[in-house]
Amino acid sequence: MPVDRKSYKQIVDELSEKNVTLVAVSKTKPVEDILELYELGHRDFGENYVKELVGKADLLPKDIRWHFIGHLQTNKVKLINSFVHLIHGVDSFKLLNEINKQGEKINKRINCLLQVHIAEEETKFGLDEKELDELFSNSMMQPLNYVRVIGLMGMASFTENMDKVKVEFIRLKKIFDKLSPSNPELIILSMGMSSDYKIAIEEGSTMVRIGSLLFGERNRKK
Ligand SMILES: *Cc1c(COP(=O)(O)O)cnc(C)c1O
C-alpha cells in the first residue's frame, strides 16, 4: 500500500495548528515509504524494533530524527545510543541507568520519555504513578548526567471504547501537570496513535505517534 499523502497533509495541518509534533511510525514499512515522507519534508520517524531501526537508520539520510517507541531491552541500548533522537518507552530505573551508561560512553546526553502505565491491560509496559513519584521526589535521576528526561509517554487501552481511552489520557495529563511545575525540563507528552490521536490532542498531547493512517495497515503484529 502506498503512503497516504492526503492523510499526511491533513494530519500535519491539524497538528501544526496545535503545536503538536507528529512522529510517523514506520515500523514494518520499507525505506521507500520513509523516503517518500522525507521528501515531503518530514523528519521524525518512529520504530519499535531495535534491529529494524538500526538497519533503516543505516540506509536513510542522517538528518532523520529517530524515535524509539517500543519496549527497549537494556542489552540493546548500546545499539542505538549514538543516533537515537528520543527514547519514548523508558519503563524502569534500570533501563534509565543503562541509557545513562551508554550515553556516558559516547559523551552524549540521550533524550528520554518515561512511560506511564495508563491502560488497564497487564501487557502494556510502564511505570505506575507511585514509581514515577519516587523517581522524581528522591532525586534518583540527579546523578544521571547522560540522560535528559524531557517528558512522559503513555498508551491507552486497546479498545473501541473511546470514553475509556479519554479517561486514560486525562489521567496521564494530570500526572504530567502534577510533575511539570517542579520539573521544568518535562515538555513532551507523547500520547495518541492512529485510532485515538484526536482525543489525545484534545486532552493535551504534544506529540502523537501515527503509523497506519500514514502508511496503511501493517501485516505483522504491532
Ligand atoms: C505501532 C505503534 C504506534 C502507531 O500505531 P498506529 O495505530 O499504526 O498509528 C504508536 N505507538 C506505539 C508505541 C506503537 O508501537
Side-chain angles (χ1 to χ4, degrees):
M1 215 165 120
V3 174
D4 191 338
R5 289 173 174 241
K6 201 165 148 241
S7 290
Y8 172 70
K9 289 196 172 126
Q10 267 169 10
I11 293 169
V12 164
D13 284 348
E14 192 179 351
L15 297 182
S16 66
E17 239 168 68
K18 298 181 168 143
N19 268 322
V20 175
T21 304
L22 170 63
V23 176
V25 177
S26 48
K27 60 190 184 189
T28 80
K29 300 295 176 183
V31 291
E32 290 75 24
D33 288 6
I34 298 174
L35 271 178
E36 198 174 332
L37 285 194
Y38 179 86
E39 265 141 35
L40 295 177
H42 202 75
R43 292 295 178 271
D44 291 276
F45 292 91
E47 291 282 340
N48 72 338
Y49 290 106
V50 167
K51 221 176 137 190
E52 188 177 342
L53 169 58
V54 170
K56 286 174 173 175
D58 207 34
L59 293 170
L60 286 161
K62 300 304 164 213
D63 62 340
I64 286 181
R65 292 185 288 268
W66 290 107
H67 296 248
F68 189 79
I69 62 169
H71 178 64
L72 183 56
Q73 291 169 292
T74 47
N75 62 345
K76 299 214 168 136
V77 177
K78 57 176 177 292
L79 301 174
I80 62 170
N81 59 342
S82 63
F83 68 90
V84 74
H85 173 68
L86 178 61
I87 299 175
H88 286 231
V90 179
D91 58 1
S92 70
F93 187 63
K94 182 172 162 238
L95 177 58
L96 196 64
N97 243 320
E98 175 63 18
I99 297 170
N100 184 68
K101 199 173 119 195
Q102 297 301 334
E104 184 167 15
K105 272 194 190 159
I106 56 168
N107 196 27
K108 172 188 169 189
R109 235 180 142 187
I110 300 174
N111 296 323
C112 297
L113 305 179
L114 297 176
Q115 183 168 357
V116 188
H117 187 272
I118 52 168
E120 228 165 56
E121 294 120 71
E122 288 291 322
T123 50
K124 296 249 158 77
F125 294 102
L127 302 152
D128 62 31
E129 205 174 339
K130 194 168 142 258
E131 290 171 310
L132 265 184
D133 283 340
E134 270 169 18
L135 266 179
F136 283 102
S137 59
N138 301 343
S139 317
M140 282 169 83
M141 296 192 284
Q142 219 149 45
L144 306 182
N145 290 316
Y146 293 90
V147 291
R148 187 181 282 124
V149 175
I150 56 175
L152 304 179
M153 178 266 210
M155 284 174 88
S157 293
F158 184 70
T159 170
E160 309 263 286
N161 181 350
M162 287 300 141
D163 291 334
K164 183 173 173 169
V165 167
K166 184 171 165 156
V167 167
E168 292 173 355
F169 285 154
I170 289 173
R171 245 191 71 218
L172 180 53
K173 174 68 158 87
K174 231 171 118 183
I175 295 172
F176 183 80
D177 287 344
K178 186 183 77 182
L179 293 170
S180 56
S182 42
N183 302 281
E185 67 284 7
L186 294 180
I187 50 170
I188 295 175
L189 183 53
S190 167
M191 62 182 194
M193 330 196 334
S194 290
S195 58
D196 55 22
Y197 81 94
K198 282 177 196 280
I199 303 172
I201 295 168
E202 271 170 34
E203 301 312 333
S205 169
T206 71
M207 185 175 271
V208 294
R209 310 172 309 268
I210 297 182
S212 40
L213 276 184
L214 304 172
F215 297 109
E217 294 297 327
R218 290 174 299 273
N219 298 323
R220 99 167 112 104
K221 200 175 136 244
K222 284 242 149 169

